[in-house]
Amino acid sequence: MSGRWFFLVASLALALRPVPATAEELVTSLSSSEVLIESNFTGAQIVIFGQVDRDKQTVSRPGPYDLAVVLRGPDQIVTTRRKDRLLGLWVNREAETFYEVPSFYVMSSTRPPTEMGHRNMLEKYGIGINYLNLPISPQSEVQVSERDDFRDAFLRLRRKQGVYSEQAGKVDFLTESLFRTTISLPATTPVGVYSVDTFLLHEGAMLASQTKALTVAKTGFEQAAFDLAHQRPALYGILAVITAVFTGWLAGVIFRKD
Amino acid sequence: MQIYLPIAEISVNMFVIFGMGGAVGFLSGLFGIGGGFLLTPLLIFSGIPPAVAVATVTTQIVASSSSGVLAYWRRGAIDTKMATVLLIAGIVGSAIGAWLFKILQSLGQLDVVISLSYVTFLGAIGSLMLVESIGAIRRRRTGTGRVARLPGQHNWIHGLPFKMRFRQSKLYVSVIPILALGSGIGFLGTVLGIGGGFMMVPALIYLLRMPTSIVVGTSLMQILFTMAAATILHAMTTQTIDIVLALLLMVGGVIGAQFGARMGQKLRGDQLRLLLALLVLSVGVRFAVDLLVTPDEFFSIAVKGGAGT
């Protein structure tokens, strides 16, 4: 990939742009605003880089800046179920449904979230897996005392699937103001429009933030097959049958004895 | 080599899937079965979402049974009338199956029903076959022949009303058991992603007393059409048939089946049945263990809406 060249050119462009005054300003850019899923898709890497702009008028601050980059996939409704014994068998019993949870979440930061600020601030911006807002239905039948079990299990399973992760200490400052981080998208990446939020923090205070969009989309045959399956389901089914019969017939012809 | 499955929305190793199709195809050629009851759990075990695995295996069975049907058709070893009656019943069974599949999927109880059904059917049929094949091997060893069935001997099935004549099978029987058989297997096939050949063949021989030479072709034809209907119904109701996954399985499966069929000609019938019984039983036991042993992880998650649905 020509990420390195792209990075150099883009950072030059960032450095040359006119700089305004007073408070810090945050400028970010993505190595690519679109990830296309093709048949050989095994994942992708997104480089997010940017610059903290400050000039002589900017308030001088002791100590370093903190940066948090949050990549969120499109929202999903996800049900978490718990197995319990019923007549000696382990079957799904209680369930909690979480609404508007990200299908994908990676938080990359200079330090672990707990060290960057207070819980209120982290929860407000959704910085860190443990500070994610996971709304449940008001009609939830799970006892209040057990809700945390479902929440923890949900986050644990999402981490295990590789769709939720945290990478503290993975935002590198290349110069005093220029930073970069790399986020990997696995092969199981859901499709949709993602948001990349970059937060500039200093001693627990939010100084600036910026949002960019990232599109993950199937392309070519993959998209066509998906569209056909959903928009013309009967035709898709008939085509699947024809393909299967043809394959069976072909095998019979190829392997026919004499 | 990784390949992206457009409906399952995950990347899988092409050769692993191809190999699974080939291995199950080999067993299916060896034993004369569809192999769906092996393939579906294998796919689920390797990380394919259960709904996609079940639906896609029905498509794979269409491919594997169609090459068999063509071979039997050329030899004229198919009772088309019997197959048609079984088929009409099979389509009704499939429709009910697809409808139930969707309800269970939304209730989150699909996995339990699939596991329980596997345990029940595989356990029962595996045990019956095991007993029968050990008996047959023992009789062969001691040299005592099976007691020949008297011509014209009838069982309770032959006392039922609405009789119909099947010339090719030389049968004059009630349509009730045929309809029940066809719809029952069509229903199970759609819910469990199995063709049901391992249930259909013994049922036609022992219950309907159909001549063995006609049974396999007729059963395969019924399976072909029922699974073709199941594929279309799955496509329309659950939209979980992954054509790329199906294609990999088909190509692996049809090649494996040819080698299996050649191997099968070298083994005795009772030995084959014993091996198949052990195979069927072990898959059943594997599912029973999952239901009975305390799981390591009590929780599971399923996406109900939004991205990726």
Side-chain angles (χ1 to χ4, degrees), chain A residues 210-223:
Chain A
Q210 213 193 21
T211 303
K212 293 269 178 206
L214 171 70
T215 308
V216 176
K218 289 177 216 176
T219 180
F221 171 76
E222 281 63 37
Q223 184 60 43

Side-chain angles (χ1 to χ4, degrees), chain A residues 39 41-42 75-77 79-81 83 85 90-92 153 156 218 229-230 233 236 243-244 248-249 255-256, chain B residues 2-4 6 9 11 63 67 108-109 235 239 241 243 247 258 291-293 297-302 304-305 307:
Chain A
S39 61
F41 180 74
T42 54
D75 281 350
Q76 283 180 332
I77 301 166
T79 300
T80 305
R81 299 193 175 90
K83 281 188 176 170
R85 264 203 130 131
W90 286 98
V91 297
N92 286 331
R156 182 176 70 243
K218 289 177 216 176
H230 286 263
Y236 183 87
T243 312
W249 170 79
F255 287 94
R256 183 149 53 158
Chain B
Q2 297 284 311
I3 187 160
Y4 187 80
E9 298 194 319
S11 266
S67 68
Q109 299 302 338
Q239 288 155 1
I241 291 171
I243 193 71
L247 215 65
Q258 299 293 333
L291 281 174
L292 294 170
V293 173
E297 175 64 82
F298 294 93
F299 291 91
S300 63
I301 53 178
K304 300 299 286 287

Side-chain angles (χ1 to χ4, degrees), chain B residues 105-174:
Chain B
Q105 200 180 10
S106 66
L107 288 177
Q109 299 302 338
L110 186 62
D111 299 357
V112 175
V113 173
I114 289 180
S115 302
L116 265 181
S117 317
Y118 268 108
V119 171
T120 317
F121 288 102
L122 300 184
I125 289 158
S127 311
L128 285 174
M129 271 169 52
L130 189 70
V131 170
E132 189 272 333
S133 59
I134 289 174
I137 290 173
R138 212 177 259 161
R139 273 196 299 279
R140 180 157 56 79
R141 292 257 165 85
T142 54
T144 50
R146 183 190 281 266
V147 183
R149 191 155 43 84
L150 296 169
Q153 190 184 23
H154 281 48
N155 58 15
W156 61 272
I157 296 281
H158 295 83
L160 294 169
F162 306 112
K163 294 205 171 190
M164 209 173 189
R165 193 172 294 284
F166 296 93
R167 286 230 166 69
Q168 202 140 15
S169 306
K170 301 187 183 73
L171 281 178
Y172 181 61
V173 287
S174 160

Side-chain angles (χ1 to χ4, degrees), chain B residues 51-245:
Chain B
V52 175
V54 169
T56 306
V57 165
T58 58
T59 318
Q60 136 80 10
I61 295 170
V62 172
S64 60
S65 56
S66 62
S67 68
V69 165
L70 287 170
Y72 284 100
W73 184 263
R74 278 192 220 105
R75 280 187 248 155
I78 295 177
D79 184 338
T80 0
K81 192 173 177 188
M82 176 68 82
T84 311
V85 176
L86 285 170
L87 173 65
I88 292 166
I91 290 172
V92 175
S94 284
I96 300 169
W99 170 75
L100 186 76
F101 188 84
K102 195 149 194 183
I103 291 177
L104 291 171
Q105 200 180 10
S106 66
L107 288 177
Q109 299 302 338
L110 186 62
D111 299 357
V112 175
V113 173
I114 289 180
S115 302
L116 265 181
S117 317
Y118 268 108
V119 171
T120 317
F121 288 102
L122 300 184
I125 289 158
S127 311
L128 285 174
M129 271 169 52
L130 189 70
V131 170
E132 189 272 333
S133 59
I134 289 174
I137 290 173
R138 212 177 259 161
R139 273 196 299 279
R140 180 157 56 79
R141 292 257 165 85
T142 54
T144 50
R146 183 190 281 266
V147 183
R149 191 155 43 84
L150 296 169
Q153 190 184 23
H154 281 48
N155 58 15
W156 61 272
I157 296 281
H158 295 83
L160 294 169
F162 306 112
K163 294 205 171 190
M164 209 173 189
R165 193 172 294 284
F166 296 93
R167 286 230 166 69
Q168 202 140 15
S169 306
K170 301 187 183 73
L171 281 178
Y172 181 61
V173 287
S174 160
V175 287
I176 296 170
I178 304 175
L179 292 177
L181 205 61
S183 57
I185 290 173
F187 172 80
L188 284 173
T190 313
V191 175
L192 303 182
I194 59 179
F198 72 105
M199 291 185 268
M200 182 67 90
V201 172
L204 291 180
I205 295 173
Y206 295 114
L207 291 178
L208 297 184
R209 303 274 155 89
M210 238 174 106
T212 315
S213 56
I214 309 286
V215 164
V216 179
T218 306
S219 154
L220 271 178
M221 186 165 183
Q222 129 81 9
I223 289 170
L224 167 62
F225 283 97
T226 315
M227 287 295 105
T231 296
I232 294 170
L233 286 167
H234 262 307
M236 291 173 72
T237 54
T238 60
Q239 288 155 1
T240 49
I241 291 171
D242 196 301
I243 193 71
V244 175
L245 180 62

Side-chain angles (χ1 to χ4, degrees), chain A residues 4-63:
Chain A
R4 190 173 294 269
W5 276 109
F6 179 74
F7 174 71
L8 281 174
V9 172
S11 53
L12 202 66
L14 286 176
L16 293 175
R17 55 187 287 287
V19 184
T22 57
E24 285 89 345
E25 232 187 285
L26 190 59
V27 188
T28 59
S29 188
L30 308 179
S31 58
S32 162
S33 63
E34 204 173 38
V35 173
L36 292 177
I37 295 182
E38 289 172 3
S39 61
N40 59 355
F41 180 74
T42 54
Q45 281 208 327
I46 295 292
V47 184
I48 299 132
F49 49 87
Q51 175 160 303
V52 181
D53 277 348
R54 47 175 299 135
D55 58 19
K56 293 232 170 71
Q57 279 100 333
T58 311
V59 208
S60 80
R61 299 181 202 275

